[in-house]
């Protein structure tokens, strides 16, 4: 299909498609003349994915590029998820060393109970430590008591995140992408979805707690 | 205390404190001379909160300003949480009307089972609809089957979010702020914390699913 049809089919304006092409978020179409190119279903699919990651996932262009690289070039779905996780985890301002050491001890305890691995240099671990340290600095000791409960719920959410894809055997060839893509989409958009559901649930819980 | 002490105590550089003052994220100190002002514990507490919301919560300056306004001027904790929720929920690109209508039907079913209220114009509802529509456009039908499970886990996370604060009776006067602030901090930083725990859990689940 031509760019105008790609735009009509996806609902993405032509100017935006051109921007994605310039930013390497979308592979170039097959040239049919100096000013025209042909696009296929794989372009349409990728275009929808890019738009969802940017608009719904709230990722930056650079993050989307890294996530796509993970989908396209990782040896398997587990590796692709790892690349995507690193790409979408922001590095935050560091807290003081003493508080971080306290947070590290706490997180190690929780991780060992839940079978999680805490690889040094993993941005996800850094992000967890910084968040725990920030809670401590703001004086929220009740959090420590609830951390294990949060971790247990995180396990159950993660199992749901993976459930849609892990049932399928990992495929080779053109089908491989769809397993990997589904896993990554489930993770990135799953964050946005769960955050939205949690806010609706919080409103309900807050209304009961404070307006009883 | 003077600004230099406020900086030393909080670990926030003087230039950053001045920036927060200019942006109205921090109330001015009490002037003691044309070039000096005195700050107290409430400034220190607010400074830590602002830094945590910006760095760990990942909010923009404008979002932090709105969240603080919610803490300072809402009639009660439930209203403050609502203001904070609206402030931190990004409005995303709209999906096509047909997909949104499908998403609205699905969300209404789930909400009625969980006792959630879906107020028209609530940005949280819009955000949930856009995310569901994006999943649908990307062709993830398995999500629909799991939505109710996600909603059930969201309820349990929200109960934990509120558990730390709802036990306390709502206070008046200077104590009031601490209840409201604790609820808002729990919500905003709770998102960052749960996202980090979920990623650690996903890595564990993905390793079992794809390499197990």
């Amino acid at each position: 299909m031509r760019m105008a049809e790609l735009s009509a089919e996806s609902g993405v304006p032509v100017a935006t498609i051109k921007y994605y092409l310039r930013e390497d978020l979308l592979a170039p179409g097959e040239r049919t003349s100096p000013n025209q190119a042909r696009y296929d279903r794989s372009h349409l699919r990728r275009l929808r994915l890019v738009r969802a990651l940017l608009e719904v996932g709230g990722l930056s262009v650079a993050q989307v590029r890294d996530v796509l690289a993970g989908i396209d070039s990782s040896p398997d779905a587990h590796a692709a998820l790892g690349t995507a996780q690193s790409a979408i985890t922001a590095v935050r301002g560091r807290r003081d060393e003493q508080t971080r050491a306290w947070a590290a001890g706490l997180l190690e305890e929780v991780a060992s109970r839940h079978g999680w691995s805490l690889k040094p240099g993993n941005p996800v671990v850094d992000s967890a430590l910084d968040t725990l340290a920030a809670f401590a600095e703001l004086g929220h000791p009740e959090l420590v008591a609830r951390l294990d409960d949060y971790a247990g719920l995180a396990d159950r959410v993660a199992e749901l995140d993976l459930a849609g894809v892990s049932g399928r055997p990992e495929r080779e060839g053109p089908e491989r992408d769809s397993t990997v893509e589904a896993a990554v989409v489930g993770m990135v958009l799953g964050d946005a979805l769960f955050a939205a559901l949690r806010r609706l649930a919080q409103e309900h819980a807050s209304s009961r707690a404070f307006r009883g």
Side-chain angles (χ1 to χ4, degrees), chain A residues 15-120:
Chain A
T16 307
I17 298 178
K18 288 184 175 168
Y19 171 68
Y20 292 170
L21 285 166
R22 278 198 306 277
E23 293 287 338
D24 285 330
L25 303 181
L26 194 66
E30 187 197 341
R31 284 257 157 250
T32 53
S33 81
N35 292 314
Q36 293 228 320
R38 199 159 44 204
Y39 301 89
D40 60 24
R41 306 299 297 176
S42 74
H43 288 94
L44 181 60
R45 180 157 189 88
R46 183 52 60 101
L47 188 53
R48 287 188 170 133
L49 177 62
V50 166
R51 193 171 71 140
L53 293 175
L54 286 170
E55 294 182 356
V56 180
L59 302 191
S60 68
V61 165
Q63 287 175 317
V64 171
R65 207 182 285 122
D66 289 347
V67 167
L68 296 177
I71 291 178
D72 294 337
S73 61
S74 295
D76 59 26
H78 180 68
L81 274 178
T83 305
Q85 281 199 338
S86 297
I88 67 180
T89 301
V91 174
R92 268 84 184 229
R94 288 307 177 85
R95 334 304 302 182
D96 77 71
E97 284 309 310
Q98 203 181 341
T99 316
R100 263 181 78 91
W102 166 85
L106 183 61
L107 189 61
E108 270 161 32
E109 262 181 54
V110 171
S112 77
R113 270 198 293 277
H114 293 262
W116 302 345
S117 91
L118 302 180
K119 295 197 189 78

